[in-house]
Amino acid sequence: MSLVARFRWLTLALGAGPACAFGQAFPSYSPPRMPPPMPGQPGMPMYYSPRNAVTFERGRFQLADGRWNDAQLAPGTDSFAVANDDRRNKTPTWYDPREVQRYVVRQDTFVVARNFSVRKGTVEQAFVRQLYRKAGYAVLRYDAPETLLLALPGDGPVRVLPRKRAEFRQAMAEILHDHPTLPQELAKVDVGPEHIGKILDIYLSWKAKAAPAGAIPATTMP
């Protein structure tokens, strides 16, 4: 296939799907924004204040030791609340990223990301939405402020992806540098962060075919 034909193919492939072309659709759940917590109550999530009622959603969470629990959850970024059996949920139990691996509300999965930079500074640990997961690669979204992250196979730190389209294409070309043609193709087509799922699909499809027989793919984020 000629270089021009490959560019045309990549443009059609990336443009064939909806704008949120992730392996998992954008989450449907959007927690209500509540006033900030009262002084002296650190660690509470941005969506919950003890002075305001909040709707708990049916979900599940996985503790650090691997055990799963069904519960009524109030999602958060720094921590989340689990309703107790006191009818009015006046005394919820709070969990932070040190205690929980992930939690699930409706069709949305939130996992733990650590040590990444946002406009306000460095985030040591937080719950982030998992938008895509395949062969050890995971696309994540932090919501305060909105930041797109990429976890690579292995235990390395997550990568913060640029929001500007040209910078995003350059970053993805560097990350996927071992592909024989994709980095050059990314420089020639108008793609942005909304196409990251399809870009990874193209890359991982090639990688699976190029892998030696019997090779075991690396994984990340159980």
Side-chain angles (χ1 to χ4, degrees):
M1 183 184 295
S2 69
L3 191 61
V4 172
R6 283 202 300 268
F7 292 160
R8 184 178 299 112
W9 166 79
L10 181 64
T11 303
L12 292 174
L14 293 177
C20 59
F22 291 96
Q24 175 180 336
F26 274 115
S28 58
Y29 182 78
S30 181
R33 292 188 177 274
M34 305 299 290
M38 298 173 62
Q41 294 174 317
M44 292 188 177
M46 60 185 292
Y47 305 121
Y48 185 86
S49 170
R51 296 172 298 173
N52 297 272
V54 62
T55 301
F56 284 79
E57 298 282 344
R58 180 180 298 176
R60 306 178 68 209
F61 64 99
Q62 186 181 25
L63 295 169
D65 62 9
R67 289 179 297 152
W68 281 94
N69 293 276
D70 295 327
Q72 296 288 326
L73 310 178
T77 300
D78 299 322
S79 59
F80 67 92
V82 173
N84 291 324
D85 295 330
D86 60 358
R87 295 186 179 180
R88 296 184 181 180
N89 297 322
K90 290 183 177 180
T91 56
T93 301
W94 299 92
Y95 291 91
D96 65 34
R98 295 170 298 180
E99 304 167 289
V100 173
Q101 296 185 37
R102 72 194 69 239
Y103 68 88
V104 180
V105 175
R106 296 186 182 177
Q107 296 181 351
D108 302 328
T109 299
F110 295 78
V111 298
V112 177
R114 293 183 171 86
N115 301 319
F116 58 93
S117 298
V118 296
R119 292 194 303 269
K120 298 186 296 184
T122 300
V123 178
E124 293 185 1
Q125 57 186 10
F127 291 111
V128 295
R129 297 170 187 252
Q130 181 176 281
L131 305 179
Y132 176 102
R133 180 185 176 197
K134 182 183 292 186
Y137 290 78
V139 179
L140 313 167
R141 192 175 76 190
Y142 178 65
D143 288 332
E146 185 173 317
T147 306
L148 194 64
L149 309 171
L150 177 63
L152 304 176
D155 297 323
V158 295
R159 299 281 298 266
V160 177
L161 297 176
R163 299 181 67 177
K164 294 182 178 179
R165 300 174 78 82
E167 295 176 3
F168 168 80
R169 292 194 295 269
Q170 181 178 351
M172 293 302 297
E174 293 173 357
I175 293 170
L176 309 179
H177 64 88
D178 57 328
H179 191 287
T181 59
L182 188 55
Q184 295 79 12
E185 293 168 355
L186 288 173
K188 298 292 184 179
V189 294
D190 183 22
V191 295
E194 68 272 21
H195 298 107
I196 187 171
K198 288 205 168 185
I199 293 171
L200 289 174
D201 282 344
I202 293 170
Y203 173 78
L204 293 174
S205 177
W206 164 80
K207 201 170 185 67
K209 295 176 182 177
I216 300 176
T219 59
T220 187
M221 290 196 173

